[in-house]
Amino acid sequence: MSTSGLITPAAASGSSSPSPAVSVRGLWKVFGPKASSIVGSADEELSPAELKDKTGCVAAVRDVSFDVAPGEVFVVMGLSGSGKSTLVRCITRLIEPTAGDILIEGDSLIAADDKQLRELRRHRFSMVFQHFGLLPHRRVAENVAYGLEIRGDDKASRQARAQEVIELVGLTGFENSFPDQLSGGMQQRVGLARALAGDPDIMFFDEPFSALDPLIRRDMQDEVMRLHNEVGKTMIFITHDLSEALRLGDRIAIMQNGRIVQVGRPDELVGAPADEYVADFTRDIPRSHVLTMRWIMRPPRPGEALDGPELSPDLIIRDSIHAISQASAPARIVSEGQLLGLVDRDDLLVLIAGKPNA
């Protein structure tokens, strides 16, 4: 649905998409007696309170399905108890799902035996958690190289790789420091470097920055964005912070009571929330900081000048304000030489004031 008169952008053109890096299919995690009997029964439709009262079970993850494209930053967010951390632990099989399947680059993680699972964790995906889990008696370089040591890499190659990722995350000069000599933000950089050292295809983050001070947290968000731009890893990021989700995510899934209630780009969640729960989440986010020109462009009116500045449809509205306010004619929203629509000062004021479009 659209809100405050905003026009939902047209769907992207249907070009063929690459095979997903991660596919989650009908995933359930139920805790309690006879948990497996809940899935597929009438009880699975009960509310959390009703299910607990009737069966003694808690469905932390309820029939969740989504795909993550290669190189995408996919953020899962929700309030405490929404199921987001349980979800990522199921996807990595740190806890066993009750039902459903997880495909990592087409291979079923559920079908993997213990040996195959160890190999997947050593070579194809890695995890970064809120609690750094650094070895206090080992220096930074040794902590970074620890996963390589476990998987059997020789000393020379793991030292070289550790130094490479230490430089990548900005820890040069701290190779011989112990964890307790570092700040919280620097310790999290060590954890990030350790996760990168094995050159995984996919990285999972479970609220890694929630214990950090706000300024350090923002620095670490910037670091993740920089690293993603440089190394292009597929990332699944768990957070309870909407601002963090909007900064990091190519797409965001919002969870409530174990279910995903909406998946979309940041502008889709802010501009077209699926329900009141999502609308409440996004209510305090300045729309001009998230929405793009696609959301406020309109068809030309009869006799309207078409010689205004040319802007991209993907330009954030906030970044267009100066150009539009200084122009004598409406801005032309153009993609690949095609005029998509116009935006003038009145269109900006409508958005900022939150009034319906004329």
Side-chain angles (χ1 to χ4, degrees):
M1 71 179 191
S2 62
T3 60
S4 302
L6 299 176
I7 301 172
T8 304
S13 61
S15 58
S16 59
S17 300
S19 298
V22 179
S23 291
V24 177
R25 293 286 175 265
L27 197 68
W28 285 81
K29 180 57 186 177
V30 182
F31 296 96
K34 299 182 179 178
S36 60
S37 67
I38 301 299
V39 182
S41 73
D43 291 340
E44 72 175 30
E45 297 300 327
L46 296 175
S47 70
E50 291 169 337
L51 183 67
K52 184 72 166 63
D53 289 343
K54 180 178 179 180
T55 69
C57 292
V58 174
V61 176
R62 291 172 169 251
D63 196 21
V64 166
S65 298
F66 60 84
D67 290 334
V68 181
E72 182 178 20
V73 180
F74 187 86
V75 177
V76 181
M77 68 158 299
L79 299 176
S80 178
S82 62
K84 58 189 185 298
S85 288
T86 302
L87 174 63
V88 77
R89 282 168 166 76
C90 285
I91 296 173
T92 54
R93 274 190 63 188
L94 291 177
I95 59 177
E96 292 295 331
T98 305
D101 201 3
I102 303 138
L103 303 176
I104 302 293
E105 298 173 330
D107 295 329
S108 174
L109 202 63
I110 299 300
D113 59 25
D114 289 346
K115 181 180 179 181
Q116 292 168 328
L117 189 56
R118 285 194 297 271
E119 288 302 302
L120 286 166
R121 288 173 176 162
R122 289 172 180 173
H123 295 279
R124 293 174 63 181
F125 66 86
S126 62
M127 295 162 278
V128 182
F129 298 100
Q130 176 181 340
H131 302 292
F132 318 128
L134 303 181
L135 302 172
H137 60 287
R138 293 199 175 204
R139 300 178 190 273
V140 165
E142 296 168 326
N143 267 283
V144 171
Y146 182 68
L148 305 179
E149 180 182 346
I150 292 297
R151 78 182 191 187
D153 291 13
D154 65 81
K155 185 174 182 179
S157 64
R158 66 178 185 255
Q159 287 178 337
R161 176 59 180 166
Q163 187 60 42
E164 184 180 337
V165 293
I166 283 171
E167 293 172 3
L168 186 65
V169 302
L171 284 171
T172 303
F174 294 93
E175 294 88 344
N176 293 316
S177 299
F178 288 99
D180 63 2
Q181 297 173 315
L182 304 177
S183 68
M186 292 178 72
Q187 288 183 39
Q188 191 59 286
R189 286 176 186 264
V190 178
L192 189 54
R194 182 177 58 191
L196 283 165
D199 195 22
D201 298 325
I202 302 160
M203 300 182 70
F204 295 93
F205 298 80
D206 187 9
E207 302 206 55
F209 310 142
S210 60
L212 301 178
D213 293 337
L215 290 178
I216 298 175
R217 181 172 186 157
R218 188 173 181 88
D219 286 345
M220 289 305 302
Q221 291 168 3
D222 290 340
E223 188 66 18
V224 167
M225 293 167 67
R226 181 185 70 82
L227 288 172
H228 182 258
N229 289 334
E230 290 189 16
V231 299
K233 301 296 183 186
T234 303
M235 297 180 175
I236 296 180
F237 197 101
I238 308 299
T239 183
H240 65 271
D241 185 321
L242 180 60
S243 296
E244 183 167 78
L246 294 172
R247 288 197 77 207
L248 297 179
D250 295 316
R251 286 188 303 145
I252 301 167
I254 295 186
M255 291 191 73
Q256 180 187 30
N257 295 330
R259 297 187 185 275
I260 289 180
V261 294
Q262 186 172 2
V263 178
R265 301 186 312 268
D267 62 309
E268 291 173 330
L269 298 184
V270 173
D275 59 18
E276 285 303 314
Y277 182 75
V278 180
D280 284 341
F281 254 116
T282 62
R283 195 177 308 280
D284 295 329
I285 298 296
R287 291 178 296 169
S288 64
H289 293 199
V290 179
L291 301 185
T292 64
M293 304 306 291
R294 293 182 187 275
W295 290 85
I296 59 170
M297 65 186 185
R298 54 172 176 76
R301 298 178 181 126
E304 201 164 22
L306 298 178
D307 57 354
E310 182 178 307
L311 300 177
S312 165
D314 297 317
L315 180 67
I316 299 295
I317 292 170
R318 174 185 59 185
D319 299 332
S320 74
I321 291 174
H322 179 75
I324 293 175
S325 63
Q326 298 298 312
S328 58
R332 294 174 296 123
I333 312 306
V334 176
S335 177
E336 298 181 350
Q338 180 181 0
L339 178 65
L340 303 181
L342 300 181
V343 175
D344 61 18
R345 281 169 283 192
D346 288 343
D347 299 317
L348 291 179
L349 289 173
V350 165
L351 175 83
I352 294 169
K355 298 176 182 177
N357 275 331

